[in-house]
Amino acid sequence: MLQRIIDLLFEFREYVLLTVLVVVSLGLLALNDNPQVKVLRSATSVVFGLVQEQVSFIPSYFGLKGENAILRRQNVEYRDEAYRMREDKLENLRLKNLLGLKEESPRRYLAANIVGKNLTLLRNTLTLDVGATDSVREQMPVVNESGLVGMVVATTDNYAIVNILLNTDFRASVKIQRSRVDGMLAWDGTTLMVKNVPKTRDVKPGDVVMTSDYSSLFPDGIRVGLVEEVQDPVSSLFKTIKVKPSVDFVTLEEVFILEHRLSEERRALEQRVMEIAR
Amino acid sequence: MRQQEHILVSVVVVVVLLLLQSTFIPLISLLGVVPDLLLIWLVYIALRRGQIEATVAGFAAGLLQDIVATKFLGLAALAKTVTGFILGYFYNENTTEATLGSYRFTLLVLLAGFIHNLLYFFIFLQNADEVVLVRTIGLSLAHAIYSAVIAILVMFLFSRRFRTAAFE
């Protein structure tokens, strides 16, 4: 076999010699760093690449074992890298959501950590590590990157208590984002619901529920949750709309207190109208 | 031994021609166009020794020329290797002397010059401002013609030498 190859090479020795010398010349040219040569160099790379591609199967027969080991090691490295990238992506998403919430609104937020949770009663509350000395006042809305958490109901110098959505004392004026239907958000002890929505209004499962402009406590446009179920009970004029809150209260660890104050002018006007009505 | 002598003589000739090429030849340049003495010698080698030696001689002479004269290492080597190989097809030991002493030698120098310079300038003029192809062909022709003109003198030398040898 070897002899046959040698004979073949000898038979075409002129061409073999030419090829070798041309390759050596091109190799020498590749050592140059002139712009003219770069064009030739790139063309040479293409030609060499094509040749390499055609003969790339040769080493795979002789070095399958080594190649397999390299590929296995690379596979582990890539898997590890993919895992780390996934972690980074999740972290990035969470931080982006936090920042996005801030960027979308000129409102001021005060970050707070949850130091206590009470999620087993009808009046579920959170205890935050900020208080009156941090300018936290009662009736301030509390949010996180997912949406509305609740409202501050009591403060001491360094702590604040928050009534979360899942509290029978909690109320919020809300609207259905798609159809702009208004209602009142309340928790009956087992289910979060949007109340006072007539049966004729358009509400569907999957609709987004947000705080309404009509609220005197919450700024509008804060996400509250998704409509989970819509019923039209025979005995009532209103729909029964079950809502799944956007916030996961079980895993909640940090929140933002929104420094939202209703306009004094609006507050005075509304109060005056109420007094006249009485 | 004869082979070694031949190689040694070739090396000496190439070095001398290179010296002439870099010292004397620039003095007779016309608008930057100069004859290529090494190319004329390469035609001689191809007609005398055949394709393999012409290919190797082309590479060696070109490489030396690259080292001494040009700024692209490998460019003249590439051009002269290919030219030497093509010239090898004109080798015929029965008609060598007749070819060397006739106009065919001049025509071969012209052909070799054109092939060599076409290859050489095509690479050399990459990224140039002018239209590369037109300039390449023009320069190739100009250099080849000038080399062929010088080859006429060489042809007369060979012609006289072979005629004298025939009478003797």
Side-chain angles (χ1 to χ4, degrees):
Chain A
M1 179 68 180
L2 191 67
Q3 187 58 44
R4 207 172 157 189
I5 293 169
I6 292 168
D7 289 343
L8 200 70
L9 288 175
F10 189 77
E11 192 181 341
F12 295 101
R13 57 190 181 280
E14 294 90 354
Y15 298 97
V16 173
L17 183 69
L18 175 73
T19 307
V20 169
L21 294 179
V22 166
V23 167
V24 172
S25 301
L26 289 173
L28 289 169
L29 269 173
L31 293 174
N32 290 276
D33 197 29
N34 304 81
Q36 289 96 328
V37 176
K38 282 178 184 170
V39 178
L40 181 75
R41 191 182 293 169
S42 58
T44 311
S45 302
V46 171
V47 175
F48 274 96
L50 284 171
V51 175
Q52 242 172 356
E53 199 181 321
Q54 295 303 314
V55 297
S56 60
F57 69 96
I58 294 170
S60 65
Y61 288 120
F62 299 107
L64 268 181
K65 199 177 170 185
E67 197 178 326
N68 197 22
I70 291 167
L71 287 173
R72 241 187 283 174
R73 197 190 68 220
Q74 279 179 344
N75 193 26
V76 172
E77 285 171 5
Y78 289 145
R79 206 185 303 169
D80 183 49
E81 197 176 332
Y83 172 75
R84 276 189 281 113
M85 282 174 78
R86 213 161 29 231
E87 288 290 304
D88 290 347
K89 191 181 172 186
L90 287 171
E91 188 184 350
N92 188 30
L93 201 66
R94 192 172 63 81
L95 293 171
K96 221 161 103 177
N97 284 336
L98 280 169
L99 287 171
L101 194 60
K102 281 181 179 174
E103 281 170 7
E104 280 165 15
S105 166
R107 299 161 190 152
R108 292 181 61 199
Y109 293 85
L110 174 68
N113 291 313
I114 297 167
V115 291
K117 275 185 191 177
N118 193 343
L119 301 178
T120 55
L121 305 169
L122 290 176
R123 292 180 174 83
N124 295 316
T125 58
L126 304 173
T127 306
L128 308 181
D129 65 350
V130 289
T133 51
D134 303 295
S135 305
V136 177
R137 301 284 179 268
E138 289 179 15
Q139 295 192 330
M140 279 185 167
V142 180
V143 297
N144 81 341
E145 72 274 13
S146 300
L148 187 64
V149 172
M151 186 177 67
V152 177
V153 289
T155 59
T156 60
D157 284 349
N158 297 308
Y159 294 98
I161 300 295
V162 176
N163 270 0
I164 64 169
L165 306 185
L166 310 182
N167 187 306
T168 49
D169 292 337
F170 183 88
R171 294 285 186 279
S173 184
V174 295
K175 65 183 173 193
I176 304 298
Q177 188 185 41
R178 180 181 58 83
S179 55
R180 321 308 287 177
V181 174
D182 293 298
M184 183 62 70
L185 187 77
W187 191 60
D188 64 1
T190 55
T191 312
L192 189 66
M193 303 176 82
V194 176
K195 295 184 172 182
N196 303 338
V197 177
K199 284 181 177 175
T200 53
R201 306 313 294 263
D202 177 22
V203 182
K204 290 176 181 171
D207 280 346
V208 175
V209 181
M210 306 180 80
T211 54
S212 161
D213 309 8
Y214 304 146
S215 175
S216 58
L217 297 172
F218 302 101
D220 67 300
I222 299 176
R223 190 182 169 101
V224 172
L226 290 175
V227 173
E228 200 170 36
E229 191 182 333
V230 181
Q231 291 177 350
D232 291 325
V234 182
S235 58
S236 173
L237 293 171
F238 300 104
K239 286 178 180 290
T240 302
I241 302 168
K242 293 182 181 178
V243 177
K244 187 184 179 188
S246 298
V247 177
D248 182 355
F249 292 100
V250 179
T251 58
L252 194 62
E253 289 178 352
E254 53 202 13
V255 292
F256 291 92
I257 297 169
L258 195 54
E259 292 183 21
H260 170 72
R261 285 270 174 195
L262 197 65
S263 157
E264 284 302 320
E265 188 182 343
R266 177 182 162 183
R267 189 188 297 275
L269 178 64
E270 285 178 355
Q271 203 165 359
R272 202 175 73 197
V273 171
M274 289 288 281
E275 281 170 6
I276 291 168
R278 280 176 202 152
Chain B
M1 186 65 189
R2 190 170 166 75
Q3 184 71 13
Q4 286 175 341
E5 275 177 15
H6 170 68
I7 292 170
L8 191 67
V9 169
S10 293
V11 170
V12 171
V13 170
V14 167
V15 171
V16 170
L17 289 176
L18 260 177
L19 279 171
L20 284 173
Q21 185 78 36
S22 55
T23 54
F24 171 70
I25 294 297
L27 299 175
I28 58 165
S29 75
L30 295 171
L31 299 170
V33 177
V34 291
D36 191 338
L37 299 183
L38 283 170
L39 200 67
I40 298 168
W41 171 79
L42 190 62
V43 176
Y44 168 77
I45 291 292
L47 294 174
R48 273 274 186 207
R49 299 276 170 182
Q51 196 167 40
I52 289 179
E53 286 200 32
T55 309
V56 175
F59 176 76
L63 192 61
L64 273 173
Q65 197 174 8
D66 282 328
I67 293 166
V68 174
T70 62
K71 57 178 181 175
F72 297 134
L73 187 68
L75 183 54
L78 176 70
K80 283 193 165 56
T81 301
V82 175
T83 309
F85 179 80
I86 294 169
L87 286 171
Y89 284 110
F90 296 93
Y91 170 71
N92 184 341
E93 58 185 340
N94 299 320
T95 58
T96 300
E97 291 185 356
T99 306
L100 282 172
S102 71
Y103 68 94
R104 284 195 295 267
F105 177 71
T106 309
L107 286 179
L108 279 177
V109 170
L110 187 68
L111 176 71
F114 187 69
I115 293 166
H116 172 272
N117 294 323
L118 200 66
L119 200 56
Y120 186 94
F121 288 115
F122 186 74
I123 296 167
F124 189 80
L125 296 175
Q126 287 294 320
N127 293 344
D129 294 330
E130 295 180 41
V131 182
V132 173
L133 192 65
V134 174
R135 199 177 173 192
T136 303
I137 292 170
L139 275 170
S140 302
L141 264 175
H143 283 263
I145 289 168
Y146 205 171
S147 296
V149 170
I150 299 297
I152 294 171
L153 300 174
V154 181
M155 179 198 77
F156 279 124
L157 285 174
F158 281 129
S159 174
R160 253 182 85 176
R161 184 181 158 188
F162 296 138
R163 207 179 299 148
T164 310
F167 280 119
E168 285 171 355

